[in-house]
Each structure stands twice: as structure tokens, then as C-alpha cells.
Amino acid sequence: MRLRILGAAQEVTGSNYLLEVDGRRVLVDCGLYQGANSGDNHVPLDYDPSTIDAVLLTHAHLDHTGKVPLLVKQGYKGPVYGTRPTLELCDILWRDAAHIQKEDAEWQSRKNMRKGLPPVEPLYTLEDVERSLERLRSVGYDDVVEIVDGLKVRFRDAGHILGSAILEVWLKEGDDEVKVVFSGDLGPQETVMEANPAVVEDADFVVIESTYGNRNHKTNLESREEFRQTMKEMLKDHGKVLIPTFVVDRAQRVLYELKLMQQEGILPDNVPIYFDSPMGMKTTAVYSEHISLLSAEVQEEARQGRDPFTPKQLHIVESVDESKAINNIKHAIVLAGSGMCNGGRIVHHLKNNLFRENAHVVFVGYQAKGTLGRRLIDGSKVVRVAGEEVSVKAKLHTINGFSAHADRSDLLAWAKNFKTDPLFIVTHGEPEASGALAASLQEEGFSAVVPKLGQEFVLSKAKEVVSVQEVPPVFGQETFENRLAMALEEIEQAAEALKLEGDIRDSSVISLIVSAETLLKTAREKLENQKERAANK
């Protein structure tokens, strides 16, 4: 019995774990890489999808589920298990992902054509999504389900987003039996939107996320007050507030907070609120359908006959023309995706407002490395948006307390429930966060490791760690050509961004740039030498 870490190792996206028991193979999550590592989505999978027997999904976010349609495209024919809300949200998110990938592939192919490079194929299509949806199988919270011979699972509420689950997995091979718990993404111990994370007390291994493993959020009350102060500033400035929103959970949380502010007289009823996300409204409808799974606070709002997610003056924006028309509105609140500003309608709102001193941008979620959102919160004074350089003069605000992720204290509180001295395998966090959480767990008396990508664990009571193994790619040349094209494009974009920074004086940064120059020159010389040798044969 083995566990292999195939994603989210010392990074926040691309969750993917492979369990092997008695010749059967089961995946836990199969997520997309996002941000700086999005090009890795085109790297061949580490396994042949046709050899996988089942897939278990912890929750719907694309960094945990977004590669399932690729899996099906490349030959997977087994079931995909998740809670009912998770599967309903996957239907929405996968369709949108296929649409975005189609547009991105067409755009990249046009650029490649001008450079004499091959066209780029989307990672998967809407047809692949349709075939993937046929494989979905709903599982109720707390039900124990046998997935394959030797592997049973129970889905427990993780309190992260609607339908999110902690997975308790029992594996048995011969006389050996172990239990592995996957935290998925955990919600805070004190929540506003979802129920509290379920308590689990026994396991041999625990795969635990660490997105915020090195820092704590402000309290719910502090975060609410911070958000309300931002709204008050906006009212004084008579400008726009742009809120880049993840369509699952964060959009609903913001709508709920705006409604509360109206009820308490903090936000006037005449300030227009634009929800510029057709997908976000579909997601909100799923949330409304499953109110009974949300927090007591949200359920009480519904019992009082008030829709928790529909503040007054809410305008649902459907078409692109309607979205562009918001540019003519001087004073409004605008919610739009994507949450990390690396695509979606929020991009054109930022392009038209970042240079305005009376505009505000409120970040209410994690911003991965390499995204426009991360560059903004890191303090870039000029950013490239939709092909243009834009000066950043808007007021920027970060409210991590709205995050659906557990912070350091929440993660440790959840971990302390275990009574059986498990080995904690710390994943789904940038190196600083994963390392900090592992160290904190060790200080609490637990065993904890931060795995490398590809690392294996023998699942036995001895809790043996196996060294990293190189896994030969299954799929070949076309995928590598796509990856090359994307890498060259990212190099161009990075060079343009560095030019915009102007006077660079940090010696360590200069050293990195010079090293990159040397590597690129070496690659070019090697290619030219290969061509010369081929011509002389």
C-alpha cells in the first residue's frame, strides 16, 4: 500500500495524490496548476489515466478538480466521487474552464503563427467536460463507501466551501490495514458561511493543507470592520470599489456582508452593486439550494425570510456589452472574477480603474505567485493589464479574514484532535507556509514532513518514507511543444515586466536576471549547434 504525492508539494495548486492498494489505484483530487506554474498543466501526467480505478474529490475548486476532464480525455473510464454540492459546482466550473482554455489556445495559436510556432490545443474541450460529468457519483456526508476492494472512504464536512470534505480512507491488503486522512482544504474553526470542520481523532497518516500555515487571519469581527471601513472610504471618494471574487464561497460571502451592511444602515441602499459574473450567479443558486449545509448564522437569515445573497441594488451582469457599460458608472461596487485577476471580467475593470486615485480594489482571497493580483498586493507601481501598461494609483486593501481557508491556529487546533500519533504530510502551501506548519506540528509533539513532488510513502504502521522516484511521462511530443510555446511566452512577459520596473538596484535580482540571460544564450547556442551538425551530415 502506497501514497504518492503528485501535486501541491510546496505549492498551493495542482492537488493530486495517488493511492495504491492490492493492485488498485485511486486518485484523491486531480487539480489544475494556477498562477506562475499554470504552464505545468501541459506537462504529461505521471500515470496512465486508463490504469486509475476511481477518483475522490475533496471539493470543487479547480486546483483540486480541474484536471478531471483531461483525465477523461486521455482514457479514464472510472467513477468520480464527491458530495452532491461538489459535483454540482464542478459542472459549473469545468464548463467555464473549458471555455477559457479554448479562448486562451486560440489567442496563443495566433501569436505562434506569427512566430512560425505550432498551434496550441486547449487542455480539454466542452465535449471532454460533458463526458466527465457522466462519470460523477454523489456521496453523502458521513456515509462509508467501498470504492474498490481494499479501500473504503467516508466524506466529512471540511467547512471550507459548500460541499467540501475531509476524506477518511481505510486501506486493507492482506492482514495489513491503515487509515489515511486527507484534510482537503479546511475552513476556519469559527466560520461565517459554512459549518465548522468535522473532528477526526484517529489516523496513521494525515495529509494536511498549509495554505496559511505560517500566519493567522484577523477575527471575523475584525475582518468585517476592516471591510466596512473600506466601504466608508469608497463612499467618501465617490469612486468604484472593485472586488476580485472567486465565484465559489467568496462571492457569496461578499454579497452577504453587503446585505448585512445595508440592514445596519452602514451602506446606503442607493449604491449600485454589480455582480459581473454569470457563472457566479449560477454558483450562488447552488448555495441557495443547500442553505441547510451552511452556518447557523446564514440559516437564520433564511429563516427570517431574507435572501442572504441578494442585497438591494444588486444588478446581475450577463453580457459582455453590459459589463463594458459599467465603465460609464462612476460610483459603484463591482464584483467580478477571476479572484486572482489572471483572467475574467475583472481584468477590464482593473484596466479602466487602477490609474484612478478615487478607486479601491479589495482582495478577499489568496493571490498565488505569478498572478496579477499577487503583483498588485506586492506593491507593483505599474502593471501590464490586457496588453497595456497601467499605473497603479487606486487604493488597495487585503482582507484575509474573508478567506475560506483555515489559518495557522485553525490548522493546529484541528490537528490536535488526533489521538493516535499520525504522521502529518504537509502539502498545499508555499515552502515557507508548509515548513512553518510542519515545525509547529513537531513542537506539538507530532511527526511531520514536507514532501517533495513525486515522493512516496509506504502505508504501514511503521510509517516509512520512500525517496523520490522519477516517473516516465506517459504522453509525449505534442504536449511538450505546447509547454515550450507557453514557456517562451512567459519569458517574454517576465522581461517586459522587468523593463517596466525601471531602475533595478537589488544585486540579488540583477544576479538572477544575468543568470537567466546566460541560460537562454546557452539554450540558443545548443540549438544552433544541433542544427549545424544536422546540416553537415
Side-chain angles (χ1 to χ4, degrees), residues 17-53:
Y17 311 106
L18 176 62
L19 290 167
E20 297 184 73
V21 55
D22 202 18
R24 312 302 294 271
R25 311 177 89 197
V26 174
L27 289 181
V28 174
D29 286 345
C30 190
L32 287 170
Y33 289 99
Q34 297 171 313
N37 294 330
S38 59
D40 290 345
N41 292 319
H42 293 271
V43 172
L45 297 170
D46 294 317
Y47 44 82
D48 182 345
S50 66
T51 67
I52 303 299
D53 295 290

Side-chain angles (χ1 to χ4, degrees), residues 465-477:
V465 178
V466 180
S467 61
V468 178
Q469 297 184 2
E470 291 293 331
V471 183
V474 177
F475 300 96
Q477 188 59 37

Side-chain angles (χ1 to χ4, degrees), residues 177-197:
E177 186 170 2
V178 295
K179 181 180 179 182
V180 185
V181 170
F182 294 85
S183 74
D185 284 357
L186 288 170
Q189 292 292 302
E190 295 183 10
T191 62
V192 171
M193 291 293 297
E194 276 76 31
N196 295 329

Side-chain angles (χ1 to χ4, degrees), residues 313-347:
Q313 287 293 322
L314 179 64
H315 302 269
I316 308 304
V317 182
E318 294 281 353
S319 70
V320 173
D321 287 340
E322 289 174 316
S323 177
K324 290 179 179 178
I326 300 173
N327 293 332
N328 301 322
I329 309 296
K330 302 302 182 185
H331 185 45
I333 299 168
V334 182
L335 286 70
S338 68
M340 296 184 191
C341 309
N342 55 336
R345 293 183 179 181
I346 193 63
V347 172

Side-chain angles (χ1 to χ4, degrees), residues 165-472:
I166 299 160
L167 303 187
E168 294 181 273
V169 181
W170 292 268
L171 301 104
K172 183 175 176 60
E173 187 173 300
D175 295 330
D176 294 329
E177 186 170 2
V178 295
K179 181 180 179 182
V180 185
V181 170
F182 294 85
S183 74
D185 284 357
L186 288 170
Q189 292 292 302
E190 295 183 10
T191 62
V192 171
M193 291 293 297
E194 276 76 31
N196 295 329
V199 172
V200 184
E201 296 184 337
D202 62 306
D204 298 297
F205 298 84
V206 179
V207 181
I208 186 171
E209 67 120 322
S210 58
T211 310
Y212 290 101
N214 59 340
R215 57 193 185 276
N216 286 329
H217 304 320
K218 292 181 179 178
T219 67
N220 288 325
L221 289 177
E222 289 171 332
S223 297
R224 273 185 171 157
E225 182 58 28
E226 186 178 5
F227 185 62
R228 293 175 178 195
Q229 287 300 323
T230 298
M231 293 298 113
K232 290 175 182 177
E233 283 186 47
M234 179 272 291
L235 293 171
K236 291 178 183 177
D237 289 343
H238 294 282
K240 274 186 187 159
V241 170
L242 305 182
I243 308 178
T245 45
F246 300 89
V247 296
V248 180
D249 185 82
R250 221 58 48 83
Q252 293 74 38
R253 172 69 189 274
V254 171
L255 290 171
Y256 177 59
E257 293 294 335
L258 293 173
K259 184 176 178 64
L260 291 181
M261 289 169 61
Q262 288 177 343
Q263 290 172 187
E264 296 172 27
I266 299 170
L267 179 66
D269 293 350
N270 62 353
V271 177
I273 301 168
Y274 292 93
F275 193 9
D276 192 4
S277 174
M279 183 175 64
M281 284 312 300
K282 293 177 183 177
T283 300
T284 303
V286 176
Y287 265 71
S288 296
E289 183 183 345
H290 295 284
I291 290 286
S292 63
L293 295 178
L294 299 179
S295 68
E297 178 179 335
V298 174
Q299 289 186 50
E300 181 59 27
E301 281 291 307
R303 275 195 293 270
Q304 295 294 328
R306 297 188 291 261
D307 185 337
F309 311 122
T310 308
K312 296 175 183 178
Q313 287 293 322
L314 179 64
H315 302 269
I316 308 304
V317 182
E318 294 281 353
S319 70
V320 173
D321 287 340
E322 289 174 316
S323 177
K324 290 179 179 178
I326 300 173
N327 293 332
N328 301 322
I329 309 296
K330 302 302 182 185
H331 185 45
I333 299 168
V334 182
L335 286 70
S338 68
M340 296 184 191
C341 309
N342 55 336
R345 293 183 179 181
I346 193 63
V347 172
H348 88 254
H349 293 300
L350 290 168
K351 180 179 177 180
N352 286 282
N353 289 279
L354 276 176
F355 62 90
R356 302 181 191 276
E357 293 183 353
N358 67 337
H360 296 256
V361 184
V362 184
F363 295 98
V364 292
Y366 185 84
Q367 305 298 310
K369 287 183 178 179
T371 61
L372 174 57
R374 182 63 168 262
R375 289 196 291 276
L376 286 170
I377 65 173
D378 281 349
S380 294
K381 300 303 181 185
V382 178
V383 291
R384 190 170 183 84
V385 186
E388 292 186 20
E389 288 79 38
V390 180
S391 177
V392 181
K393 295 183 178 178
K395 299 178 180 68
L396 306 181
H397 312 263
T398 302
I399 303 179
N400 285 330
F402 278 8
S403 175
H405 278 278
D407 64 14
R408 175 184 175 277
S409 295
D410 294 322
L411 292 166
L412 288 174
W414 182 78
K416 289 178 185 178
N417 291 314
F418 286 92
K419 312 298 184 186
T420 54
D421 193 26
L423 171 63
F424 283 91
I425 302 168
V426 184
T427 64
H428 204 280
E430 292 177 4
E432 300 84 359
S434 294
L437 182 61
S440 296
L441 287 166
Q442 290 167 356
E443 289 172 4
E444 296 292 338
F446 292 109
S447 299
V449 297
V450 179
K452 297 178 181 178
L453 190 65
Q455 191 158 353
E456 281 193 342
F457 296 84
V458 174
L459 300 178
S460 69
K461 298 295 183 182
K463 303 174 182 124
E464 180 183 354
V465 178
V466 180
S467 61
V468 178
Q469 297 184 2
E470 291 293 331
V471 183

Side-chain angles (χ1 to χ4, degrees), residues 492-527:
E492 287 183 13
Q493 291 177 358
E496 290 177 1
L498 287 167
K499 288 178 184 177
L500 292 173
E501 292 294 336
D503 188 15
I504 299 174
R505 297 179 179 273
D506 189 320
S507 60
S508 63
V509 174
I510 295 172
S511 177
L512 288 170
I513 294 171
V514 172
S515 297
E517 177 193 21
T518 302
L519 288 170
L520 289 169
K521 282 183 177 179
T522 302
R524 184 175 181 179
E525 289 170 1
K526 184 173 183 179
L527 186 60

